[in-house]
Amino acid sequence: MKELLNRFETKAPEIVFEWHDSETTARGWVVINSLRGGAAGGGTRMRKGLDRREVESLAKTMEVKFTVSGPQIGGAKSGIDFDPADPRKEGVLRRWYQAVMPLLKAYYGTGGDLNVDEIHEVIPVTESFGLWHPQEGVVNGHFKPTESQRIQQVGQLRVGVSKVVEDAVYTPAPERKYVVADLITGWGVAESVAHYYRIYGGDLAGKRVIVQGWGNVGSAAAYYLARAGAKIVGIIDRDGGLLKPEGFSFDEVRDLYLNKKGNQLATEGMLPFTEINQQIWNIGAEVFLPCAASRLVTREQLDQLVAAGLEVISSGANVPFADPEIFYGAIYQHADEQVAVIPDFIANCGMARAFAFLMQGGIEISDAAIFSDASATIAQALERCHARSTQRTNIASTAFEIALQQLV
């Protein structure tokens, strides 16, 4: 596996597009690792201090993810080095998407990512420049459709991704009008944990859960796990967090989801970040969901979690461990050898899978169809790992091997 991984990591990306904003200090990159299958896909993120290497590593992560989620295309990523809290953000995004529009029409599909919202930013801005949907480039480059097929596929994407989730099985509050893009990734992370216990043995009900990050992914995953009977015992977010060793009730978790401020935890009684960061790692939990930024989880934090009874990590964040390597460094390997690690390209593939599902012909566009398809895709990926080895450790390395044998 490591030889395959090294070959994949060290191969130069096929296309790198660099951009410098004319009105601010913002810089951006589109990295297309390959045009496998005629197209490439990957979301747009923004953060201050982002660099080309980060975008390259995420593009390679997306290529691995597509071996699970489909379609069978290359990986890509867009990254903008700019403070997302700056009031000039909207203008930066507009100029960025105007610059990359030829790629988005021909062979590159994008979406939301860290600090860039799929529904409220990506879709409206790209639509204003004449793009029917941000995934249109994948439809054109990979499927090479006739005009009627293109209209059908792009139409399904337009309806499905922005569909208001009305089925109470999948939404915390039908009256809030959450859409598929708000919930599907967190749903997949939660389903990966449920499928892990179903396939490898064990009962999810009563398992204690620590969540890192309370954005769309972490908060939704916590909501779905709490509904399934797991106990959320700790939440650590950017500015603080909460601890409750006996576990928050389902209603409490739902309220924390509904009352978040933007993508942050917002409630009375939050512990300051320095305090929660000292306490949460040894409170005791069987499940850990790293759902914040990439490369945050340290070896020390991991060892504390393992010593306190950790069984499974489901990676809501891309590349959650604080390793310099693109995919699988020393901390990641240590985690993989100690507990069950469900890798990011399986656990958080819900949005990528929703895109792939909506590009197919003859589908039903309903909450149940979209969400159950994502769940089934994640289950199949874990079942392939289990077929190779029934051990509860080294799941991530097995998953990487299965994926890389398709790519290298």
Side-chain angles (χ1 to χ4, degrees):
M1 186 278 289
K2 285 204 165 183
E3 181 190 350
L4 290 170
L5 198 56
N6 183 60
R7 286 164 59 191
F8 183 68
E9 283 185 353
T10 55
K11 185 177 180 181
E14 197 168 320
I15 299 169
V16 179
F17 174 96
E18 183 168 319
W19 171 80
H20 294 262
D21 188 23
S22 59
E23 298 185 25
T24 70
T25 59
R27 301 179 301 160
W29 298 266
V30 177
V31 175
I32 293 176
N33 190 58
S34 81
L35 285 173
R36 173 178 175 251
T44 303
R45 67 169 42 194
M46 178 185 287
R47 74 172 185 85
K48 190 175 181 179
L50 176 146
D51 60 17
R52 171 175 162 170
R53 175 174 168 77
E54 179 177 335
V55 186
E56 287 185 1
S57 69
L58 291 166
K60 289 183 180 291
T61 299
M62 286 304 304
E63 188 141 331
V64 175
K65 183 178 292 186
F66 286 127
T67 67
V68 172
S69 70
Q72 298 304 308
I73 59 173
K77 207 73 176 181
S78 289
I80 304 170
D81 174 13
F82 192 70
D83 182 356
D86 191 301
R88 297 172 294 175
K89 177 187 180 184
E90 182 181 355
V92 169
L93 281 175
R94 288 193 64 81
R95 291 186 293 277
W96 164 260
Y97 282 122
Q98 188 171 26
V100 302
M101 192 54 55
L103 282 66
L104 290 169
K105 288 186 175 180
Y107 51 70
Y108 170 45
T110 195
D113 198 86
L114 183 70
N115 298 318
V116 178
D117 187 85
E118 169 89 18
I119 302 300
H120 300 106
E121 293 174 318
V122 182
I123 289 176
V125 173
T126 56
E127 196 172 62
S128 73
F129 292 122
L131 202 68
W132 282 14
H133 190 272
Q135 290 289 314
E136 190 174 338
V138 173
V139 173
N140 291 332
H142 178 64
F143 292 95
K144 303 190 187 314
T146 64
E147 183 62 15
S148 62
Q149 289 170 336
R150 185 176 74 88
I151 291 169
Q152 180 191 22
Q153 287 173 288
V154 176
Q156 288 175 174
L157 284 163
R158 285 170 64 92
V159 171
V161 174
S162 303
K163 183 188 180 304
V164 173
V165 181
E166 299 168 313
D167 191 329
V169 172
Y170 304 106
T171 178
E175 69 279 4
R176 291 283 189 98
K177 298 190 182 303
Y178 294 109
V179 301
V180 168
D182 294 327
L183 300 169
I184 193 76
T185 306
W187 160 261
V189 171
E191 286 293 279
S192 75
V193 177
H195 287 309
Y196 164 75
Y197 282 113
R198 177 182 62 80
I199 294 166
Y200 287 84
D203 188 356
L204 175 60
K207 297 293 185 185
R208 297 167 296 171
V209 182
I210 290 171
V211 184
Q212 181 186 45
W214 201 248
N216 273 358
V217 179
S219 59
Y223 165 79
Y224 292 121
L225 286 176
R227 196 186 61 186
K231 295 184 178 297
I232 311 302
V233 297
I235 302 165
I236 181 167
D237 203 23
R238 186 185 308 165
D239 296 328
L242 297 169
L243 293 176
K244 192 169 187 179
E246 68 273 25
F248 293 95
S249 70
F250 170 65
D251 286 340
E252 287 173 326
V253 174
R254 181 177 178 272
D255 287 344
L256 289 171
Y257 179 91
L258 296 176
N259 295 330
K260 63 183 176 177
K261 185 177 180 180
N263 267 342
Q264 292 189 44
L265 184 66
T267 188
E268 294 182 359
M270 284 174 58
L271 299 173
F273 180 82
T274 51
E275 190 173 338
I276 190 82
N277 196 40
Q278 288 177 342
Q279 297 183 41
I280 197 168
W281 309 109
N282 52 29
I283 188 176
E286 289 78 27
V287 179
F288 173 47
L289 307 181
C291 298
S294 302
R295 304 184 189 282
L296 292 183
V297 182
T298 67
R299 171 68 183 260
E300 181 183 6
Q301 291 164 350
L302 176 64
D303 286 341
Q304 290 180 71
L305 288 166
V306 171
L310 187 67
E311 295 176 353
V312 59
I313 299 171
S314 180
S315 305
N318 287 323
V319 199
F321 301 103
D323 289 314
E325 291 84 359
I326 291 178
F327 288 113
Y328 195 84
I331 301 172
Y332 200 145
Q333 182 174 347
H334 180 63
D336 202 24
E337 291 171 348
Q338 298 292 314
V339 298
V341 179
I342 305 171
D344 49 19
F345 59 90
I346 294 176
N348 71 17
C349 79
M351 192 71 248
R353 180 57 204 171
F355 286 144
F357 175 73
L358 291 165
M359 291 178 196
Q360 298 175 17
I363 60 165
E364 172 191 327
I365 301 181
S366 67
D367 298 339
I370 296 168
F371 282 77
S372 62
D373 174 79
S375 177
T377 298
I378 290 165
Q380 289 163 10
L382 287 174
E383 285 163 357
R384 285 194 291 269
C385 294
H386 187 264
R388 289 206 179 188
S389 172
T390 59
Q391 292 185 8
R392 293 172 181 263
T393 54
N394 293 303
I395 293 173
S397 61
T398 300
F400 271 117
E401 187 175 81
I402 292 169
L404 291 166
Q405 285 172 347
Q406 302 172 57
L407 299 174
V408 179

